[in-house]
Amino acid sequence: MSSSVPVTMSATLAADQELEHRRQAGERVLFLASGEIGLPVLPALRERLTEAADRNAYGPVTGSAELRAAAAGYWTRRGLETGPADVVCGPGSKPLLFALLLAVGGTDVVVPVPSWVSYGAQARLAGARPLPVPVRPGEGGVPDPDALREAVLSARAAGRDPRCVVVTVPDNPTGTIASPETVRRLATVARELDLVVVSDEIYCDLVFDPERPAVSPAVFAPERTVVTTGLTKNLALGGWRIGIARLPSGPLGDGLRGRLVGVASQVWSSTAAPMQAAAAYALGEPPEVVAHVAAARRLHERVVRKVAASFTATGARLAPVRATCYLYPDFEPLREALGRVHGVAGGDDLAALLTDRYGVGVLSGTAFGEADRSLRIRVATSRLYGDTDAERWAALSAPDPLSLPWIRASLDRVSEVLTDLTAAFDDRP
């Protein structure tokens, strides 16, 4: 690897490491930085993994026939007709996304602002340059289509070669969902400019309102949209490391698939066979899996909405959270007071203040592509469900999880910290 390629620690992983060091040193900490979903493994999945422990052969690069058929059924049930030949799996959605960027090529990768911390970093590692395009207010994860067109045309006029736009539906870091109309317009611009759309849909099963699901760009531009997902978020299996990609049919998809499989064959050869067996079971969506995901979704909604209320009570701006366990408050209305009382000038200062003074780990908006002056931070509530499996199972099944002592203590701590942070303000909106 060239030494000129900047390689830094993932902001989410770095924040977790720092907080863990503080916790081990005896400090009181609250983990609100990482996207780790703190929930237990469904017993039926553990059993499938155990049963498959003797599967020690490499297997096909694209994934087992069993897994690809299950993934095809998963997407077909969501309105995206898919055949097993369209599916490629990898050891986590993160390396799969990186391999896709290598397979697409080009000098630039369009990323939304804000966007997940690894998109821009992976573009650089792939030898490309992230091309940031802002999202529409309250519609995180998808670049504004008009701004996308302008940015790509400007880049090409300057001799650059953007070929890909990465989107997240629903969105991390904002917990919002782009409207179907915005997604449709994105697809129109992608077709007009011959862009590949890589749609990270790992949060699609965590939309709170089933009557208003997230709409994939593959609905509007099926011939040029790659969809990725995994089991990290809906089933809290981050440590199991498996990701799945749905490639488009047709000439573009055939070429992309060939290059993606080539990259995969040279980098990871094949995904761990026991993981594939467990994933095939999960993607088949038997009743116990469906029920487990539904319970997790309800828990996320209850806790994230309660934490969101604590932030809006301070005067911070916050778009309504519609999915996931993330919220993205903007402290711009409190800029003058934050600067006067705490010396805070931007998101980095605010995140450092919350971590250093209160032991509350959050991420600055700069980690997601925001300007240094921005006062946005990303908050994740998924580590608040308990420290043991017993507590986490109780949280999943409780009629009122907010009343559980350990969750209540964390929620009270958030409120206490925000109250103290703004106690000296005399001009909150």
Side-chain angles (χ1 to χ4, degrees):
M1 179 185 295
S2 169
S3 60
S4 65
V5 178
V7 182
T8 58
M9 181 74 166
S10 164
T12 52
L13 300 181
D16 261 8
Q17 282 191 4
E18 180 182 351
L19 279 186
E20 182 58 27
H21 290 154
R22 289 171 175 265
R23 186 191 68 80
Q24 291 181 4
E27 296 183 34
R28 182 184 185 186
V29 298
L30 194 61
F31 289 85
L32 296 177
S34 97
E36 176 81 53
I37 306 295
L39 290 173
V41 176
L42 182 67
L45 284 170
R46 187 172 60 243
E47 292 166 8
R48 294 312 185 283
L49 185 63
T50 300
E51 292 169 359
D54 60 350
R55 298 189 186 184
N56 60 340
Y58 281 118
V61 174
T62 56
S64 70
E66 176 191 27
L67 172 59
R68 289 185 287 112
Y74 171 89
W75 273 305
T76 297
R77 288 190 294 276
R78 284 155 180 78
L80 300 177
E81 191 68 35
T82 305
D86 301 326
V87 176
V88 175
C89 80
S93 60
K94 209 169 184 177
L96 200 52
L97 285 164
F98 179 58
L100 280 164
L101 296 186
L102 290 172
V104 173
T107 64
D108 300 73
V109 176
V110 179
V111 297
V113 177
S115 64
W116 181 48
V117 299
S118 289
Y119 294 149
Q122 288 194 350
R124 294 185 186 94
L125 288 171
R129 181 177 67 179
L131 182 60
V133 177
V135 303
R136 294 171 57 83
E139 296 189 56
V142 174
D144 178 279
D146 294 332
L148 169 64
R149 179 186 288 107
E150 181 179 351
V152 170
L153 291 176
S154 295
R156 288 177 175 169
R160 307 292 297 175
D161 182 25
R163 301 181 190 175
C164 175
V165 54
V166 181
V167 304
T168 315
V169 187
D171 184 42
N172 169 15
T174 67
T176 62
I177 304 173
S179 70
E181 176 59 16
T182 294
V183 176
R184 184 194 66 77
R185 291 178 56 218
L186 167 92
T188 298
V189 173
R191 185 176 288 123
E192 171 191 328
L193 300 179
D194 194 24
L195 296 171
V196 174
V197 181
V198 176
S199 185
D200 182 351
E201 300 182 13
I202 200 165
Y203 298 100
C204 78
D205 293 336
L206 298 181
V207 177
F208 301 148
D209 184 355
E211 300 300 317
R212 300 174 64 196
V215 177
S216 173
V219 171
F220 303 107
E223 81 288 355
R224 63 183 56 253
T225 300
V226 181
V227 180
T228 67
T229 191
L231 308 182
T232 300
K233 305 304 178 182
N234 62 348
L235 286 164
L237 297 176
W240 286 23
R241 309 313 303 144
I242 190 160
I244 307 100
R246 175 191 183 272
L247 281 295
S249 300
L252 186 152
D254 291 343
L256 184 56
R257 182 184 185 278
R259 293 189 296 275
L260 175 61
V261 173
V263 172
S265 72
Q266 300 292 358
V267 176
W268 63 76
S269 298
S270 64
T271 305
M275 298 297 109
Q276 293 189 58
Y281 171 78
L283 292 169
E285 297 185 290
E288 58 269 31
V289 168
V290 172
H292 192 70
V293 172
R297 186 167 54 240
R298 288 192 296 268
L299 177 60
H300 292 321
E301 180 178 12
R302 293 295 303 278
V303 175
V304 78
R305 290 199 188 284
K306 185 65 175 178
V307 173
S310 294
F311 277 91
T312 56
T314 69
R317 288 196 296 252
L318 181 62
V321 179
R322 291 184 52 205
T324 80
C325 49
Y326 304 125
L327 49 114
Y328 199 60
D330 184 357
F331 282 77
E332 182 62 35
L334 304 175
R335 176 176 293 280
E336 191 280 330
L338 282 169
R340 170 169 47 82
V341 175
H342 299 297
V344 167
D348 290 348
D349 293 339
L350 180 55
L353 174 65
L354 289 168
T355 300
D356 297 341
R357 179 178 297 183
Y358 300 106
V360 175
V362 299
L363 289 181
S364 166
T366 58
F368 302 92
E370 300 278 9
D372 292 343
R373 179 176 167 79
S374 167
L375 283 171
R376 293 182 174 92
I377 58 174
R378 204 286 301 273
V379 178
T381 62
S382 52
R383 294 283 295 273
L384 304 184
Y385 306 144
D387 294 328
T388 67
D389 273 358
E391 289 181 345
R392 293 163 180 164
W393 280 118
L396 277 171
S397 61
D400 180 16
L402 305 185
S403 67
L404 295 173
W406 55 94
I407 294 181
R408 182 76 265 160
S410 294
L411 298 176
D412 288 346
R413 178 60 178 161
V414 171
S415 181
E416 175 186 290
V417 166
L418 292 175
T419 298
D420 187 76
L421 179 73
T422 59
F425 296 2
D426 54 15
D427 53 357
R428 278 184 290 176

